Amino acid sequence: MTGASRHYVLAAGGTGGHLLPAFALATELERRGHHVALITDTRGAQIPGKPDFLPAHVIPAGRFGKNPLSWIKGIRAVLQGRRMALRLFDSFQPSAVVGFGGYPSLPTVLAAKSAGVPTVVHEQNAVLGRVNRLFARHVDAIATAYPEVERLDPKHSRKVHLVGNPVRAGVLSLRDEPFPPLGEEGLLRVLVTGGSQGARVLSEVVPDGLSMLPPALRQRLQVTQQCRPEDLDAVRERYRNHAIPAELATYFEDMSARLADAHLFIGRAGASTIAELTAVGRPAILIPLPIATDDHQAANARELAKAGGARVIRQERFNAKELAKQIKALADNPQGLGRAAHAAWNCGRPRAVEDLADLVESFGGADMMDVIRVGGNNARGASQGLPAGQGAVRESAE
């Protein structure tokens, strides 16, 4: 605990991308001796992983579609949610409210502004989300996960703090583990995952792409792939026909261990995925979800790709031949994968949850701190499969 116990309210939409960072922050604030409450929607209340100590308050959030006639219903829901949030504030007396994006953040942050409660928003993606964009002018601080965030007006730069995306403790604990040994004849372990909207294209392309690798490389493959339930049998048959060993499931409970063993990741470029890849240091081939709002997954992948830790294939070009080409370019020799792993590791921000908690704690206590504006990373070489000193280490830019 870093000072007097205080109360904080976190608000997040009902998806893992919004809620997982909120859960991580709640755990860190509780560890420091504070009391935390969560405001979310009905979907969010059912997401696994919520800490037992964290009470969840479900409010109507309102949705605004393309049809303006639906906005009337949405506005009513927002106003009702704002009233409910204000009633919680009356009893809970928060020192600050933290919005993680998504519709429930809208009435909650509105309530905080009307009640004079300090506000912070955290943006997980490399494009400022709609709700966070709406409040950027009015909040007291904007925490970001990337050095460059699109749709963020430069005039708000004084209140922007680069903290990163918090990741699960089980994943973060792997950060100082070495990149798995990869000899010229050893197994090449490939991990493939995708969200519910992305798993099908991965199921259709990845087995055939792996089958097009040179025989010497193909014979070393060991694949772990997450699939939709309705795709499992077809994908299993594809791998069987290609004589490629593959373990398939709709969900892996031990995903941290799978990531620890992987030499190469293939999947989408969601914010949580990028945060975990860079926390552990795993090279990747990323296929951004083309229907993501504001094409934010492509923006998420940009920093990692520029550093050399990932290759990006847009979905319109994602076919078996292109995938095989990119895998071969990465995996032709162990040093190539090792360098990419080191580059990914250097993009990680392992102190994300601590830096975000420091920023939030600065409200209701001491004067506002200037929390890290660009997170530095401690250098490492040999533990990522490189000689000490090899590979560029990202220094603090300010």
Side-chain angles (χ1 to χ4, degrees):
M1 179 170 161
T2 58
S5 177
R6 297 192 287 277
H7 292 188
Y8 295 101
V9 170
L10 314 184
T15 66
H18 294 308
L19 281 164
L20 292 179
F23 293 163
L25 176 61
T27 300
E28 177 65 15
L29 290 173
E30 196 269 346
R31 187 189 69 80
R32 297 184 184 196
H34 303 304
H35 302 282
V36 190
L38 173 70
I39 290 179
T40 187
D41 54 22
T42 51
R43 278 196 311 163
Q46 299 169 4
I47 294 261
K50 183 178 76 64
D52 292 337
F53 66 82
L54 183 64
H57 301 265
V58 175
I59 66 170
R63 294 181 179 274
F64 299 88
K66 294 181 179 179
N67 183 359
L69 295 177
S70 68
W71 296 359
I72 298 174
K73 185 178 179 181
I75 291 171
R76 285 175 179 165
V78 168
L79 293 176
Q80 183 184 357
R82 176 179 172 276
R83 289 192 295 270
M84 293 173 68
L86 284 170
R87 286 199 294 272
L88 173 63
F89 296 171
D90 284 341
S91 59
F92 196 65
Q93 295 292 306
S95 293
V97 166
V98 186
F100 286 86
Y103 288 109
S105 290
L106 179 55
T108 307
V109 175
L110 281 174
K113 297 309 295 181
S114 64
V117 177
T119 50
V120 179
V121 293
H122 178 268
E123 179 54 60
Q124 299 88 50
N125 294 302
V127 181
L128 199 65
R130 291 174 182 173
V131 173
N132 287 346
R133 204 180 306 157
L134 179 65
F135 287 120
R137 260 180 77 183
H138 307 286
V139 297
D140 297 284
I142 302 169
T144 65
Y146 296 90
E148 298 179 10
V149 179
E150 297 175 16
R151 308 296 290 271
L152 177 57
D153 195 316
K155 67 185 178 185
H156 304 314
S157 59
R158 63 177 181 78
K159 59 171 110 174
V160 173
H161 305 263
L162 174 61
V163 298
N165 268 321
V167 300
R168 294 172 291 170
V171 172
L172 193 58
S173 69
L174 302 171
R175 182 162 175 82
D176 291 322
E177 297 295 322
F179 185 64
L182 181 63
E184 292 186 1
E185 298 181 359
L187 285 177
L188 174 61
R189 289 186 290 271
V190 179
L191 176 63
V192 187
T193 71
S196 60
Q197 299 177 85
R200 173 153 294 163
V201 69
L202 296 173
S203 295
E204 292 171 349
V205 173
V206 174
D208 293 345
L210 294 175
S211 76
M212 297 177 70
L213 292 172
L217 189 56
R218 187 176 68 243
Q219 291 167 9
R220 298 166 51 205
L221 292 173
Q222 176 64 58
V223 180
T224 300
Q225 183 160 349
Q226 182 186 31
C227 306
R228 289 181 173 190
E230 61 268 31
D231 296 336
L232 272 174
D233 290 341
V235 178
R236 187 171 287 116
E237 185 65 20
R238 283 175 186 247
Y239 279 117
R240 186 181 297 118
N241 291 339
H242 296 316
I244 296 174
E247 182 180 359
L248 311 178
T250 58
Y251 178 74
F252 291 104
E253 290 195 7
D254 58 342
M255 189 58 79
S256 297
R258 308 279 176 165
L259 186 60
D261 288 340
H263 297 108
L264 177 65
F265 172 88
I266 302 173
R268 294 300 194 189
S272 296
T273 296
I274 299 290
E276 293 192 351
L277 290 172
T278 57
V280 179
R282 291 297 179 270
I285 293 176
L286 301 172
I287 305 91
L289 181 67
I291 61 171
T293 305
D294 297 318
D295 200 22
H296 67 255
Q297 287 204 3
N300 290 349
R302 194 169 297 138
E303 180 189 22
L304 184 54
K306 185 177 180 180
R311 298 192 171 225
V312 178
I313 307 175
R314 298 307 297 251
Q315 185 157 313
E316 61 269 20
R317 295 192 301 106
F318 184 54
N319 55 53
K321 184 177 180 180
E322 181 64 22
L323 178 62
K325 173 185 171 183
Q326 297 299 338
I327 293 175
K328 188 174 183 299
L330 268 174
D332 247 356
N333 60 76
Q335 290 73 31
L337 279 171
R339 284 192 292 269
H342 188 69
W345 189 91
N346 276 331
C347 291
R349 295 183 175 88
R351 281 193 47 84
V353 71
E354 290 93 339
D355 289 341
L356 181 57
D358 287 346
L359 174 62
V360 171
E361 264 193 330
S362 67
F363 295 96
D367 289 340
M368 181 73 175
M369 296 184 300
D370 186 18
V371 177
I372 301 173
R373 290 189 179 271
V374 172
N377 298 286
N378 47 326
R380 181 176 63 169
S383 60
Q384 281 292 356
L386 295 175
Q390 184 174 339
V393 177
R394 300 176 68 253
E395 301 289 345
S396 178
E398 290 186 18

